Amino acid sequence: MLAWSTLVERQLFTVRRHALPLLAEGAPPLRVLQLSDLHLAPWQSRKIRWVRALTALNPDLLVLTGDLMGHRDAKAGLVRALAPLIESTPTVFVHGSNDYYGPIVKNPLKYLAEPSRKSTRTPDLDAAGLAAEFTNLGAIDLNNSAARLVLRGTRLELLGLNDPHIRYDDASAMRDALATIYAEDGVDGPEPESLRVGVVHAPYQAALGELLDDGAQLILAGHTHGGQVRVPGVGALTANCDLPTAQARGLSVWYDAHRAAFLNVSAGLGNSIYAPVRFACRPEASLLTLEAPR
């Protein structure tokens, strides 16, 4: 089992697919590719090649949900991996804590306790430089921001939060950004049949609630690694946040007394270089096909 989880399974990259009835009647489908938690290190050439080959999926939208960096020298390899997708596909992104902080050795048992959301460390990764590389390729920075896109005739409103795991999220700034976009476009609010999508790295309940309050119909997140080590018949032992472990991987519904949204939590494509293990939790990309109800 140790050899399988450390040498084999964590290299078995896969695409997890879902279809969601979120579009207006008669609208053509939209294919949304979500990539999360690459935790890329410079020597991971197999992962770089696999990500570059995802252009064959021909997505309509690429959503990057953070923790893409896994080493202080990862930026060049990360840009090489993602450039073909970003250049060919409308792309939005948010950061995760590991885009600010490089990996360090940790006791893995700490992940079974309440997750630490504080750090006395100084950020040692160039998150601003990574964002600049992505935006130069044409991607949209959604960290505490918003965007409006029209894809195949469907108007999308995308709301993004920076990482709640390190308390970098600012819902007020996100709402101000959307209000500015409305003012620039000369509209008062959401247009009929527009689809609102929330994007955040760590699916803390408070952050999900903010996106739900703002009318998100689909929320995309990462961070959990799907538990990284799952027990057959039980599932994830931890989500590394306050999300219920039953929702630590894949598609579910997040709701309150008044609203509900689909929630897709990607198990991600990587792991810390100091925790090179996956069991019953293959590394994944998510391909979500948004379509009209049948």
Side-chain angles (χ1 to χ4, degrees), residues 13-17 33 50 54 57 283-287:
F13 308 117
T14 190
V15 178
R16 186 182 293 270
R17 302 169 188 260
L33 178 63
W50 192 86
L54 291 173
L57 295 175
E284 68 180 35
S286 297
L287 184 64

PDB file of all heavy atoms in Angstrom, residues 13-17 33 50 54 57 283-287:
ATOM      1  N   PHE A  13      -3.056  10.696 -13.048  1.00  0.00           N
ATOM      2  CA  PHE A  13      -3.897  11.863 -13.303  1.00  0.00           C
ATOM      3  C   PHE A  13      -5.135  11.460 -14.098  1.00  0.00           C
ATOM      4  O   PHE A  13      -5.070  10.686 -15.045  1.00  0.00           O
ATOM      5  CB  PHE A  13      -3.108  12.918 -14.081  1.00  0.00           C
ATOM      6  CG  PHE A  13      -1.792  13.256 -13.458  1.00  0.00           C
ATOM      7  CD1 PHE A  13      -0.607  13.015 -14.126  1.00  0.00           C
ATOM      8  CD2 PHE A  13      -1.731  13.817 -12.189  1.00  0.00           C
ATOM      9  CE1 PHE A  13       0.611  13.326 -13.560  1.00  0.00           C
ATOM     10  CE2 PHE A  13      -0.519  14.132 -11.603  1.00  0.00           C
ATOM     11  CZ  PHE A  13       0.670  13.882 -12.293  1.00  0.00           C
ATOM     12  N   THR A  14      -6.276  12.025 -13.704  1.00  0.00           N
ATOM     13  CA  THR A  14      -7.534  11.670 -14.347  1.00  0.00           C
ATOM     14  C   THR A  14      -8.402  12.904 -14.509  1.00  0.00           C
ATOM     15  O   THR A  14      -8.151  13.944 -13.881  1.00  0.00           O
ATOM     16  CB  THR A  14      -8.282  10.603 -13.514  1.00  0.00           C
ATOM     17  OG1 THR A  14      -9.374  10.102 -14.261  1.00  0.00           O
ATOM     18  CG2 THR A  14      -8.783  11.173 -12.200  1.00  0.00           C
ATOM     19  N   VAL A  15      -9.419  12.804 -15.341  1.00  0.00           N
ATOM     20  CA  VAL A  15     -10.399  13.870 -15.527  1.00  0.00           C
ATOM     21  C   VAL A  15     -11.725  13.394 -14.948  1.00  0.00           C
ATOM     22  O   VAL A  15     -12.274  12.378 -15.380  1.00  0.00           O
ATOM     23  CB  VAL A  15     -10.576  14.229 -17.015  1.00  0.00           C
ATOM     24  CG1 VAL A  15     -11.648  15.307 -17.170  1.00  0.00           C
ATOM     25  CG2 VAL A  15      -9.247  14.701 -17.621  1.00  0.00           C
ATOM     26  N   ARG A  16     -12.225  14.117 -13.945  1.00  0.00           N
ATOM     27  CA  ARG A  16     -13.531  13.807 -13.346  1.00  0.00           C
ATOM     28  C   ARG A  16     -14.577  14.669 -14.053  1.00  0.00           C
ATOM     29  O   ARG A  16     -14.427  15.890 -14.130  1.00  0.00           O
ATOM     30  CB  ARG A  16     -13.512  14.081 -11.843  1.00  0.00           C
ATOM     31  CG  ARG A  16     -14.790  13.644 -11.127  1.00  0.00           C
ATOM     32  CD  ARG A  16     -14.716  13.989  -9.643  1.00  0.00           C
ATOM     33  NE  ARG A  16     -13.706  13.210  -8.960  1.00  0.00           N
ATOM     34  CZ  ARG A  16     -13.921  12.037  -8.394  1.00  0.00           C
ATOM     35  NH1 ARG A  16     -15.122  11.500  -8.430  1.00  0.00           N
ATOM     36  NH2 ARG A  16     -12.943  11.406  -7.772  1.00  0.00           N
ATOM     37  N   ARG A  17     -15.632  14.058 -14.539  1.00  0.00           N
ATOM     38  CA  ARG A  17     -16.621  14.748 -15.371  1.00  0.00           C
ATOM     39  C   ARG A  17     -17.989  14.803 -14.686  1.00  0.00           C
ATOM     40  O   ARG A  17     -18.413  13.835 -14.054  1.00  0.00           O
ATOM     41  CB  ARG A  17     -16.758  14.036 -16.728  1.00  0.00           C
ATOM     42  CG  ARG A  17     -15.441  13.959 -17.500  1.00  0.00           C
ATOM     43  CD  ARG A  17     -15.537  13.019 -18.691  1.00  0.00           C
ATOM     44  NE  ARG A  17     -14.242  12.800 -19.311  1.00  0.00           N
ATOM     45  CZ  ARG A  17     -13.805  13.403 -20.405  1.00  0.00           C
ATOM     46  NH1 ARG A  17     -14.611  14.274 -21.032  1.00  0.00           N
ATOM     47  NH2 ARG A  17     -12.611  13.155 -20.896  1.00  0.00           N
ATOM     48  N   LEU A  33     -13.394  23.732 -17.520  1.00  0.00           N
ATOM     49  CA  LEU A  33     -12.284  22.927 -17.009  1.00  0.00           C
ATOM     50  C   LEU A  33     -11.741  23.602 -15.751  1.00  0.00           C
ATOM     51  O   LEU A  33     -11.331  24.770 -15.793  1.00  0.00           O
ATOM     52  CB  LEU A  33     -11.190  22.802 -18.065  1.00  0.00           C
ATOM     53  CG  LEU A  33      -9.935  22.032 -17.651  1.00  0.00           C
ATOM     54  CD1 LEU A  33     -10.258  20.574 -17.330  1.00  0.00           C
ATOM     55  CD2 LEU A  33      -8.869  22.120 -18.751  1.00  0.00           C
ATOM     56  N   TRP A  50       1.070  16.392 -18.923  1.00  0.00           N
ATOM     57  CA  TRP A  50      -0.341  16.003 -18.831  1.00  0.00           C
ATOM     58  C   TRP A  50      -1.243  17.237 -18.861  1.00  0.00           C
ATOM     59  O   TRP A  50      -2.267  17.245 -19.551  1.00  0.00           O
ATOM     60  CB  TRP A  50      -0.572  15.201 -17.553  1.00  0.00           C
ATOM     61  CG  TRP A  50      -1.911  14.523 -17.509  1.00  0.00           C
ATOM     62  CD1 TRP A  50      -2.249  13.307 -18.025  1.00  0.00           C
ATOM     63  CD2 TRP A  50      -3.110  15.031 -16.905  1.00  0.00           C
ATOM     64  NE1 TRP A  50      -3.565  13.019 -17.786  1.00  0.00           N
ATOM     65  CE2 TRP A  50      -4.123  14.059 -17.104  1.00  0.00           C
ATOM     66  CE3 TRP A  50      -3.422  16.203 -16.220  1.00  0.00           C
ATOM     67  CZ2 TRP A  50      -5.419  14.232 -16.633  1.00  0.00           C
ATOM     68  CZ3 TRP A  50      -4.724  16.378 -15.754  1.00  0.00           C
ATOM     69  CH2 TRP A  50      -5.704  15.406 -15.957  1.00  0.00           C
ATOM     70  N   LEU A  54      -4.227  18.854 -21.911  1.00  0.00           N
ATOM     71  CA  LEU A  54      -5.645  19.087 -21.665  1.00  0.00           C
ATOM     72  C   LEU A  54      -6.279  20.033 -22.681  1.00  0.00           C
ATOM     73  O   LEU A  54      -7.508  20.152 -22.738  1.00  0.00           O
ATOM     74  CB  LEU A  54      -5.856  19.639 -20.253  1.00  0.00           C
ATOM     75  CG  LEU A  54      -5.580  18.658 -19.103  1.00  0.00           C
ATOM     76  CD1 LEU A  54      -5.661  19.379 -17.761  1.00  0.00           C
ATOM     77  CD2 LEU A  54      -6.550  17.484 -19.136  1.00  0.00           C
ATOM     78  N   LEU A  57      -9.229  18.801 -24.715  1.00  0.00           N
ATOM     79  CA  LEU A  57     -10.606  18.805 -24.224  1.00  0.00           C
ATOM     80  C   LEU A  57     -11.418  19.969 -24.799  1.00  0.00           C
ATOM     81  O   LEU A  57     -12.644  19.974 -24.682  1.00  0.00           O
ATOM     82  CB  LEU A  57     -10.620  18.880 -22.695  1.00  0.00           C
ATOM     83  CG  LEU A  57     -10.032  17.678 -21.950  1.00  0.00           C
ATOM     84  CD1 LEU A  57     -10.006  17.959 -20.443  1.00  0.00           C
ATOM     85  CD2 LEU A  57     -10.818  16.411 -22.239  1.00  0.00           C
ATOM     86  N   PRO A 283      -5.250  12.000  -8.323  1.00  0.00           N
ATOM     87  CA  PRO A 283      -5.174  13.412  -8.702  1.00  0.00           C
ATOM     88  C   PRO A 283      -6.047  13.674  -9.920  1.00  0.00           C
ATOM     89  O   PRO A 283      -6.105  12.857 -10.844  1.00  0.00           O
ATOM     90  CB  PRO A 283      -3.690  13.619  -9.012  1.00  0.00           C
ATOM     91  CG  PRO A 283      -3.165  12.255  -9.312  1.00  0.00           C
ATOM     92  CD  PRO A 283      -3.972  11.289  -8.511  1.00  0.00           C
ATOM     93  N   GLU A 284      -6.726  14.838  -9.923  1.00  0.00           N
ATOM     94  CA  GLU A 284      -7.758  15.030 -10.933  1.00  0.00           C
ATOM     95  C   GLU A 284      -7.857  16.461 -11.418  1.00  0.00           C
ATOM     96  O   GLU A 284      -7.522  17.415 -10.717  1.00  0.00           O
ATOM     97  CB  GLU A 284      -9.116  14.619 -10.365  1.00  0.00           C
ATOM     98  CG  GLU A 284      -9.608  15.544  -9.253  1.00  0.00           C
ATOM     99  CD  GLU A 284     -10.956  15.125  -8.688  1.00  0.00           C
ATOM    100  OE1 GLU A 284     -11.216  13.909  -8.611  1.00  0.00           O
ATOM    101  OE2 GLU A 284     -11.736  16.023  -8.325  1.00  0.00           O
ATOM    102  N   ALA A 285      -8.342  16.575 -12.646  1.00  0.00           N
ATOM    103  CA  ALA A 285      -8.925  17.804 -13.174  1.00  0.00           C
ATOM    104  C   ALA A 285     -10.429  17.584 -13.245  1.00  0.00           C
ATOM    105  O   ALA A 285     -10.892  16.448 -13.327  1.00  0.00           O
ATOM    106  CB  ALA A 285      -8.361  18.108 -14.551  1.00  0.00           C
ATOM    107  N   SER A 286     -11.196  18.664 -13.193  1.00  0.00           N
ATOM    108  CA  SER A 286     -12.654  18.565 -13.280  1.00  0.00           C
ATOM    109  C   SER A 286     -13.118  19.167 -14.598  1.00  0.00           C
ATOM    110  O   SER A 286     -12.727  20.289 -14.942  1.00  0.00           O
ATOM    111  CB  SER A 286     -13.333  19.309 -12.125  1.00  0.00           C
ATOM    112  OG  SER A 286     -13.006  18.737 -10.882  1.00  0.00           O
ATOM    113  N   LEU A 287     -13.941  18.431 -15.332  1.00  0.00           N
ATOM    114  CA  LEU A 287     -14.559  18.954 -16.542  1.00  0.00           C
ATOM    115  C   LEU A 287     -16.068  18.976 -16.312  1.00  0.00           C
ATOM    116  O   LEU A 287     -16.713  17.924 -16.222  1.00  0.00           O
ATOM    117  CB  LEU A 287     -14.218  18.095 -17.755  1.00  0.00           C
ATOM    118  CG  LEU A 287     -14.738  18.632 -19.091  1.00  0.00           C
ATOM    119  CD1 LEU A 287     -14.093  19.977 -19.421  1.00  0.00           C
ATOM    120  CD2 LEU A 287     -14.498  17.640 -20.217  1.00  0.00           C
TER     121      LEU A 287
END
